[in-house]
């Protein structure tokens, strides 16, 4: 059987949390609905963090109420604490995504707590989600570098990851929050983790700040990872990581995996159409390379 990967779409959450303006609720709903139709099985829809911290996603409950839920698609949300879990369960999320950082300063700026003080907050969230029958993903941010502290010791990364597994997360997503990783580093972190954790439980989440994200995905793939996060058009960033730009564009991951003959189950043309449509809604071009080629074609200037 041909090899396959799972692409998890985080654009509606990671992308839109970093938009300067508020994207209207009906546009968010249409975005999620179109992503469902394009074949994604995992869509991170929004975030139940404090609306004062991320006003762009203050309409999370409305978005969940209004989307059309396609059978077989998992609609998840970011949840920082028990209050967030309560809000997420009220709207019937399919999966709960908790998050914290491997570096103290980013953790503090992002969620207002030390790393040690974060575990007792996440413990009841993970337990409560599991009791409600929801799978839990744990994001670890700043795995490959922190905007405030620079390099992050691999021991610090590992201790946060192992603790989250002990608390019961099902899947770990390793975040290159500010897009500093290079492929050798990715391989090394994945290989180290794989000594203790089944690779099927590890996902990679790259931001493309320095144009390394696709190379890092290939390094992760070669090291055995099969789950990758991406954002349609390359939307996104982290508002508490200065200078962080968008996630790797899902469009570019599709070009990569389609070209390598690796199945994703996602309709690349449908994703290209979503990116084009969303650029119109935002009134600005999105950073996806695949989209830049398509824009060139639309202007009659073919670059291939
Ligand atoms: P805090 O102010 O320390 O919260 O914020 P608190 O627990 O002290 O509570 C203060 C008040 O907020 C209370 O209300 C709570 O009820 C309320 P009061 O009693 O004063 O009336 N409150 C809430 N209300 C609604 N929903 C909630 C909630 N929680 C508390 N969930 C907190 C702590 C974590 C809430 C805040 O810092 C926060 O919301 N931070 C989120 C920041 C964020 O979303 N960052 C971006 C996402 S992470 C990311 O992008 C990285 C990732 O993509 C991976 C990568 O790239 O590396 C995942
Ligand atoms: Mg992110």
């Amino acid at each position: 059987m041909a090899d396959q990967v799972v692409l998890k779409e985080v654009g509606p959450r990671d992308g839109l949390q970093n938009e300067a303006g508020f994207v209207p609720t009906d546009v968010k709903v249409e975005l999620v609905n179109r992503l469902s139709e394009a074949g994604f099985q995992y869509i991170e829809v929004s975030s139940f963090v404090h609306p004062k911290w991320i006003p762009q996603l203050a309409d999370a409950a409305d978005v969940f109420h209004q989307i059309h839920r396609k059978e077989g698609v998992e609609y998840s949300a970011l949840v920082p604490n028990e209050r967030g879990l309560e809000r997420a369960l009220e709207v019937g999320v399919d999966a709960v995504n908790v998050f914290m950082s491997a570096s103290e300063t980013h953790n503090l700026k992002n969620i207002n707590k030390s790393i040690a003080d974060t575990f007792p907050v996440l413990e009841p969230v993970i337990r409560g989600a599991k009791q409600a029958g929801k799978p839990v993903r744990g994001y670890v941010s700043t795995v490959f570098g922190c905007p405030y502290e620079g390099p992050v010791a691999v021991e610090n990364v590992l201790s946060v990851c192992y603790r989250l597994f002990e608390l019961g997360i099902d899947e770990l997503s390793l975040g290159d929050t500010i897009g500093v990783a290079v492929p050798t580093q990715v391989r090394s972190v994945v290989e180290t983790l794989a000594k203790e954790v089944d690779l099927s439980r590890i996902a990679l989440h790259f931001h493309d700040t320095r144009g390394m994200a696709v190379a890092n995905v290939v390094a992760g793939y070669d090291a055995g990872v099969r789950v990758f996060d991406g954002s349609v058009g390359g939307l996104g960033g982290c508002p508490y990581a200065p200078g962080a730009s968008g996630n790797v564009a899902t469009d570019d991951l599709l070009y990569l995996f389609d070209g390598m003959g690796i199945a994703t189950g996602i309709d690349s043309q449908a994703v290209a159409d979503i990116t084009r449509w969303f650029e119109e809604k935002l009134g600005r071009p999105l950073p996806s390379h695949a989209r830049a080629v398509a824009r060139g074609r639309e202007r009659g200037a073919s670059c291939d």
Side-chain angles (χ1 to χ4, degrees):
M1 203 174 82
D3 206 354
Q4 54 186 38
V5 291
V6 173
L7 299 187
K8 296 199 168 181
E9 175 58 39
V10 299
R13 189 281 301 173
D14 206 344
L16 301 190
Q17 78 182 10
N18 208 35
E19 274 302 308
F22 182 83
V23 172
T25 306
D26 61 330
V27 176
K28 290 173 175 144
V29 169
E30 188 175 348
L31 174 62
V32 174
N33 289 346
R34 290 179 70 145
L35 291 166
S36 304
E37 290 308 317
F40 289 95
Q41 282 183 297
Y42 299 87
I43 303 174
E44 194 170 52
V45 173
S46 193
S47 174
F48 292 95
V49 299
H50 197 299
K52 277 200 193 125
W53 285 64
I54 307 285
Q56 296 91 330
L57 302 181
D59 58 352
D62 293 335
V63 175
F64 265 96
H65 284 307
Q66 291 174 36
I67 54 173
H68 169 70
R69 297 204 188 194
K70 193 174 171 196
E71 213 182 314
V73 179
E74 183 185 277
Y75 298 95
S76 66
L78 216 58
V79 169
N81 53 21
E82 283 185 281
R83 175 76 192 108
L85 180 66
E86 212 176 286
R87 292 172 57 211
L89 293 179
E90 259 166 36
V91 302
V93 296
D94 296 321
V96 167
N97 301 343
V98 298
F99 61 104
M100 63 183 294
S101 312
S103 57
E104 281 295 348
T105 318
H106 185 265
N107 203 65
L108 189 67
K109 300 264 186 197
N110 199 33
I111 51 177
N112 209 20
K113 271 165 220 72
S114 68
I115 289 178
D117 288 346
T118 302
F119 295 117
V121 173
L122 296 188
E123 191 273 328
V125 175
I126 297 169
R127 189 168 17 92
K130 310 278 295 194
Q131 274 165 3
K134 313 292 177 188
V136 181
R137 158 181 263 212
Y139 282 106
V140 178
S141 289
T142 65
V143 166
F144 303 96
C146 169
Y148 307 101
E149 298 175 19
V152 177
V154 73
E155 300 75 52
N156 297 1
V157 172
L158 296 177
S159 73
V160 170
C161 295
Y162 294 150
R163 185 80 193 108
L164 286 173
F165 276 118
E166 275 167 20
L167 293 179
I169 61 165
D170 299 290
E171 180 182 78
L172 171 76
S173 180
L174 298 170
D176 183 18
T177 318
I178 53 167
V180 285
V182 292
T184 43
Q185 207 185 355
V186 173
R187 172 174 281 279
S188 160
V189 170
V190 169
E191 284 178 353
T192 308
L193 263 168
K195 289 180 190 149
E196 303 288 330
V197 180
D198 194 305
L199 272 177
S200 63
R201 300 176 75 189
I202 298 177
L204 290 167
H205 177 106
F206 293 112
H207 287 262
D208 203 18
T209 320
R210 290 165 181 79
M212 294 293 115
V214 169
N216 289 331
V217 166
V218 174
Y221 178 84
D222 285 343
V225 176
R226 292 293 178 268
V227 182
F228 300 96
D229 299 350
S231 189
V232 63
L235 274 167
C238 172
Y240 296 96
S245 64
N247 298 95
V248 63
T250 305
D251 330 37
D252 296 343
L253 293 184
L254 288 168
Y255 181 83
L256 173 77
F257 288 118
D258 288 350
M260 288 167 72
I262 295 163
T264 64
I266 294 159
D267 177 347
S268 305
Q269 187 53 51
V271 173
D273 293 343
I274 297 170
T275 298
R276 184 173 194 275
W277 161 76
F278 209 69
E279 279 188 342
E280 277 166 24
K281 290 289 170 193
L282 291 177
R284 63 175 173 81
L286 287 170
S288 148
H289 296 282
R291 177 63 196 135
V293 172
R295 273 197 306 266
R297 286 211 185 98
E298 284 160 17
R299 286 196 309 269
S302 173
C303 25
D304 53 8

